[in-house]
Amino acid sequence: MLRFDQSPTDPAFVQNPYPFYDRLRQGGELVWWNAYDMPVSASYRLVSELLRDRRFGREEPEELRRPIPDHLKPFYAVEAHSMLELEPPRHTRLRGLVLRAFTSRRIVGLAPEIETMSHALIDAFPDEPFDVLQAFAQELPVRIIARLMGVPEDRSPDLLRWSNAMVGMYQAKRTRQDEDRAVAATTDFVAFMTEYVDARRSDPRDDLITHLIAAEEAGEKLNTDELITTLILLLNAGHEATVHTMGNVLHTLLSTGIRPAPTKTFTEEVLRHDPPLHMFTRYALEDIDLAGHSFKRGDQVGLLLGGANRDPAVFSSPDEFDPERTGPAHVSFGAGLHFCVGAPLARLELDIGLRVLFERCPDLRLCETPRYANVYHFHGLERLVVSKS
């Protein structure tokens, strides 16, 4: 297996990781990334296969887990109930209960609110150059999830701050300061959600918290810890990905002059071309020989979603943004058992938000060269300064 050196915090890589993914693919479907000390794949075929292969999973085998440092225990106490990090049978139970509350009908019903909120945010745009990430891409999804959950929109800044701090645990540049910030955010977030869960138990409303409390499958319900973790997961995973996706595509559209089209192919190309999450890891759940490598139980493999989405063996001219592109599905939402439950909401927010933004601001233009933030495994901009004319 070929080995490759590349720091995930190197400035050139942060701004454009795609040439490195091209180099990896030239080395084979599975190569060794020294910075992570594990095999990785930027091959669409292999990434798609491994996302569905039940011999690999998100949950580290119990007998191989290392003790959690004391200062991180509050964070991982919440993660312990996250369906994103679990395997069957517990994952099956949690996901089934969540989908009983987080239904397609409930998501589609948010369309008028997303449109109204998009207009309201645009009404507040200043006349001088401004950061459209802060003014629109961040505000839209966090306010929508607050409404969906049934918590006050004026707490959106807190939700945003807690979310940003918690996802910092998954970034390549994580420091002790990042960890302390994530733990503090976790503690505050849990206290906040506990208050609303307790209130909804005695005063049910037509909101996601109430519906998750009521959700039942085979006589089982979510316990309080599972409920709070699920609410935190839905905010963090859904919000962070949507913000980065919207910022990335605005960068592309404003750089190329392409404008949104009300088609399914356009939205899927948005998600393929410059996705928000670039690495998703899996543990081998048994000893496996695959792609010329012998995995032992507990070994990790890195699935490079951003690389798989630009595999030239599958996508013609993969570095180009083609709003009419058809063909295989991207892997930005994962695949198989852990396919993102928030995908329908993210698609709806992108469809409506981008359409309304360019209808209202057809002359939107860049005022400075955007820069991507040093937040790998995520991939998103620091800011996006624009002018309405």
Side-chain angles (χ1 to χ4, degrees):
M1 181 183 299
L2 293 180
R3 291 176 172 264
F4 289 82
D5 286 310
Q6 176 61 65
S7 167
T9 61
D10 174 72
F13 173 82
V14 168
Q15 295 310 308
N16 186 7
Y18 297 106
F20 176 63
Y21 300 151
D22 292 339
R23 286 173 49 209
L24 294 184
R25 278 192 301 271
Q26 291 171 10
E29 284 197 311
L30 196 66
V31 298
W32 195 270
W33 191 346
N34 289 332
Y36 287 96
D37 196 28
M38 68 178 174
V40 300
S41 179
S43 156
Y44 180 90
R45 189 202 70 80
L46 188 58
V47 167
S48 299
E49 176 183 325
L50 288 173
L51 286 169
R52 295 173 172 86
D53 192 329
R54 297 307 309 135
R55 298 173 299 172
F56 291 84
R58 286 288 296 167
E59 195 169 5
E60 185 177 16
E62 186 173 2
E63 74 276 9
L64 299 175
R65 295 173 195 169
R66 291 162 290 183
I68 297 171
D70 287 343
H71 74 284
L72 292 179
K73 284 181 178 178
F75 177 85
Y76 285 106
V78 171
E79 288 289 283
H81 303 289
S82 171
M83 62 181 174
L84 182 65
E85 307 297 339
L86 297 173
E87 291 300 308
R90 196 172 173 207
H91 172 273
T92 306
R93 171 181 163 270
L94 287 174
R95 189 177 177 100
L97 287 167
V98 168
L99 289 176
R100 286 181 178 273
F102 200 58
T103 62
S104 297
R105 186 178 69 176
R106 177 169 291 275
I107 293 168
V108 170
L110 290 169
E113 294 186 56
I114 295 171
E115 179 138 6
T116 298
M117 190 176 296
S118 296
H119 282 288
L121 292 171
I122 294 167
D123 287 341
F125 285 175
D127 292 329
E128 64 272 10
F130 63 99
D131 183 357
V132 73
L133 291 186
Q134 289 188 356
F136 191 80
Q138 290 180 351
E139 289 293 318
L140 180 62
V142 75
R143 290 193 187 190
I144 287 296
I145 201 71
R147 283 192 185 181
L148 183 63
M149 287 181 178
V151 301
E153 279 183 49
D154 62 10
R155 296 302 300 270
S156 294
D158 291 323
L159 299 177
L160 185 61
R161 177 168 51 83
W162 295 332
S163 175
N164 289 341
M166 291 182 73
V167 299
M169 288 289 289
Y170 302 102
Q171 296 170 11
K173 65 180 181 69
R174 189 176 102 189
T175 64
R176 175 58 189 262
Q177 185 179 25
D178 293 325
E179 293 175 348
D180 291 343
R181 197 159 37 231
V183 169
T186 302
T187 302
D188 290 344
F189 208 161
V190 168
F192 173 79
M193 292 313 310
T194 300
E195 176 185 345
Y196 281 91
V197 168
D198 290 344
R200 291 299 180 271
R201 289 192 190 282
S202 58
D203 181 21
R205 307 277 181 89
D206 185 19
D207 56 35
L208 185 59
I209 295 176
T210 300
H211 286 278
L212 282 171
I213 290 171
E216 183 173 355
E217 185 172 23
E220 290 194 47
K221 293 189 175 184
L222 294 167
N223 64 41
T224 298
D225 289 338
E226 292 170 340
L227 179 58
I228 290 171
T229 293
T230 297
L231 290 166
I232 291 173
L233 172 64
L234 290 174
L235 172 75
N236 289 356
H239 159 263
E240 196 76 17
T242 304
V243 171
H244 289 326
T245 303
M246 191 168 290
N248 294 354
V249 70
L250 284 173
H251 177 200
T252 298
L253 297 180
L254 295 175
S255 299
T256 61
I258 297 172
R259 290 297 179 257
T263 62
K264 180 180 178 181
T265 57
F266 174 85
T267 303
E268 298 312 303
E269 179 69 349
V270 164
L271 292 158
R272 179 204 72 86
H273 181 258
D274 203 15
L277 179 64
H278 275 219
M279 181 191 284
F280 214 37
T281 55
R282 289 286 192 273
Y283 290 99
L285 302 180
E286 58 187 71
D287 293 350
I288 305 163
D289 288 331
L290 183 74
H293 181 69
S294 294
F295 288 91
K296 299 298 182 186
R297 175 173 164 84
D299 286 351
Q300 279 189 290
V301 59
L303 310 182
L304 302 177
L305 308 181
N309 280 346
R310 293 203 187 188
D311 187 342
V314 176
F315 302 100
S316 61
S317 303
D319 294 333
E320 294 181 7
F321 184 90
D322 180 0
E324 298 182 358
R325 186 185 298 274
T326 58
H330 58 78
V331 293
S332 299
F333 289 130
L337 193 68
H338 286 283
F339 184 81
C340 177
V341 296
L345 178 57
R347 286 184 167 113
L348 192 64
E349 289 173 337
L350 290 167
D351 285 345
I352 297 173
L354 290 171
R355 173 180 58 78
V356 172
L357 179 61
F358 280 93
E359 283 178 355
R360 292 285 307 278
C361 304
D363 299 321
L364 204 67
R365 61 179 181 84
L366 291 174
C367 292
E368 63 178 46
T369 302
R371 288 186 57 80
Y372 288 91
N374 185 9
V375 291
Y376 197 79
H377 309 167
F378 291 100
H379 182 65
L381 299 167
E382 294 176 333
R383 61 182 191 164
L384 189 64
V385 179
V386 301
S387 172
K388 292 189 293 184
S389 60

